[in-house]
Amino acid sequence: MIIFGSPRRYLQGPDALARLGEEIARLGKTAALVADSHVLALVGPRVRESCAAAGVGLSEITFGGEITHAEVERMAGLCGANPPEVVIAAGGGKTIDAGKFLSGKIKAKLATVPTVASNDSPTSHIIVVYDENHKLTGVEKLAGNPDLVLVDTSVIAKAPAALLSAGIGDAIVKRFEVEQCVGVKGNNVFGGRSPRTALALAHACYDTVRADSVAALAAVKRGEPDEALERLVEATVLMSGLAFESGGLSVCHAMTRGLSAVPGPASALHGHQVAYGLLVQLALEKRDAAFIADIRDFFAQVGLPLSLADLGFAGGADEIATIAELTAQAAHMKHFSRSISAADLVAAIESVEAATPAKKDAAA
């Protein structure tokens, strides 16, 4: 049986925050805005104004910075005996996941308001949980996807370009992961078979990323949204999110298990981790040299990692073995055309690493 999931409603465009209040009013009369101190200062006034105009009672909860079970319990305690009907999670991926976790705990509806386009968390029902030492500990799931996703591209355009680069990385991998999952008839994140719709979205996402990333990054450097940025944000937030949940994941995301366990890469942005994972997956797929060279050239244009060193890695063979062993144990690894061992992953990583100095030599 195929299963496809998605948010109930998606809005995107310049100054979309002005519409937030009326959209929240569709969901409830009271809401809690979850954001870190920076994002509260950035969007708080507009959220307050919009909700007040729509007659929505608003409270605010400052997110502590790391999505742990203890942090979510703390936030739930702040909601008191009469919790809000809606949680508005505003910010980056961790804040949005914290808002998701909170909404599930207090049984509230959920609106996500990304202030960066660094990943596709805003559309999904997946929650990535860490410990106090910032190590990934597991994944939780909401009963359903967000009720509302609202993306103000005027805000996105003023975020650091490195965060959009990470979003590009998170989005570009989906084509290759969904192809692998569909190829082995694996289950998607919802536990069903992947519909052809998800594969089509993954391909559309890839095509958009390749066509619009360079121009969209230029728009972010100017601080002004344009049509290229609008298309890219739709790809990085909406297409990418729908593709991975309903299409399935593979080696690229499995690599986060290993990369998050070693110094350097553990602190890298999620989108940069999975982008490096794509280079490893392509090596495992035995893609031809011209195809890999094309991908690497694109990575260089948009600030994606070409080596472990680009992720801050300063280790050696032992750390690479750790990355490989933990990655091989990840559930997504079964979504591949053949069984992959830790030794296979070490060889693929070594292949990726060997390509970087060769490229520099060629350019010298």
Side-chain angles (χ1 to χ4, degrees):
M1 177 186 298
I2 65 170
I3 301 178
F4 184 88
S6 68
R8 286 183 58 194
R9 191 166 168 85
Y10 180 91
L11 280 75
Q12 175 191 312
D15 301 317
L17 276 171
R19 287 277 300 271
L20 181 63
E22 65 183 271
E23 293 295 327
I24 297 299
R26 297 168 179 260
L27 303 174
K29 296 180 179 178
T30 58
L33 172 62
V34 175
D36 63 27
S37 56
H38 170 73
V39 171
L40 281 174
L42 180 68
V43 303
R46 279 174 284 178
V47 173
R48 293 180 206 117
E49 180 182 359
S50 185
C51 285
V56 175
L58 184 71
S59 58
E60 297 176 10
I61 298 173
T62 304
F63 173 52
E66 188 58 271
I67 176 168
T68 64
H69 288 276
E71 174 64 5
V72 174
E73 289 291 346
R74 181 191 71 83
M75 293 193 298
L78 293 175
C79 292
N82 296 301
E85 295 177 81
V86 186
V87 169
I88 305 170
K94 286 191 177 184
T95 307
I96 285 174
D97 276 7
K100 291 179 192 176
F101 211 162
L102 176 63
S103 72
K105 185 166 287 291
I106 66 174
K107 302 188 184 325
K109 292 182 178 178
L110 174 66
T112 62
V113 182
T115 56
V116 296
S118 60
N119 58 62
D120 51 28
S121 172
T123 62
S124 85
H125 76 303
I126 296 296
I127 304 162
V128 181
V129 184
Y130 296 80
D131 64 18
E132 287 74 7
N133 297 314
H134 312 295
K135 183 178 178 181
L136 190 155
T137 60
V139 173
E140 302 280 345
K141 295 181 181 180
L142 285 178
N145 292 70
D147 298 281
L148 169 69
V149 180
L150 186 143
V151 189
D152 189 327
T153 47
S154 297
V155 175
I156 300 292
K158 291 178 172 57
L163 296 177
L164 184 59
S165 169
I168 292 166
D170 195 28
I172 196 171
V173 306
K174 299 303 170 26
R175 167 193 160 182
F176 303 95
E177 293 192 287
V178 174
E179 284 177 348
Q180 284 289 345
C181 192
V182 169
V184 299
K185 297 181 171 57
N187 284 346
N188 61 21
V189 175
F190 297 108
R193 293 282 296 279
S194 304
R196 293 183 60 81
T197 303
L199 184 59
L201 280 166
H203 279 264
C205 181
Y206 176 83
D207 292 343
T208 304
V209 166
R210 291 299 306 262
D212 289 309
S213 290
V214 172
L217 283 166
V220 166
K221 289 171 183 175
R222 294 193 305 272
E224 299 174 352
D226 63 9
E227 288 303 314
L229 182 62
E230 293 292 340
R231 291 190 294 268
L232 184 68
V233 168
E234 182 182 348
T236 59
V237 178
L238 183 59
M239 293 182 197
S240 179
L242 298 181
F244 101 79
E245 284 203 303
S246 293
L249 297 171
S250 185
V251 174
C252 305
H253 275 74
M255 285 286 295
T256 63
R257 291 287 180 165
L259 292 170
S260 67
V262 297
S267 301
L269 293 166
H270 170 81
H272 290 163
Q273 289 183 343
V274 298
Y276 181 81
L278 176 58
L279 299 178
V280 174
Q281 180 169 325
L282 295 177
L284 291 167
E285 290 180 356
K286 303 186 187 303
R287 295 275 184 162
D288 66 62
F291 187 90
I292 292 175
D294 176 63
I295 293 290
R296 290 178 66 89
D297 286 346
F298 175 73
F299 274 28
Q301 290 180 66
V302 298
L304 293 176
L306 295 170
S307 67
L308 284 171
D310 290 342
L311 295 175
F313 181 80
D318 288 346
E319 288 78 13
I320 288 175
T322 296
I323 294 170
E325 288 163 8
L326 293 174
T327 298
Q329 297 168 19
H332 301 316
M333 289 301 296
K334 66 179 180 289
H335 297 154
F336 198 74
S337 56
R338 67 181 190 280
S339 178
I340 299 296
S341 68
D344 294 327
L345 284 161
V346 168
I349 292 169
E350 290 175 344
S351 172
V352 172
E353 295 302 298
T356 302
K359 185 171 188 264
K360 288 180 180 177
D361 291 344

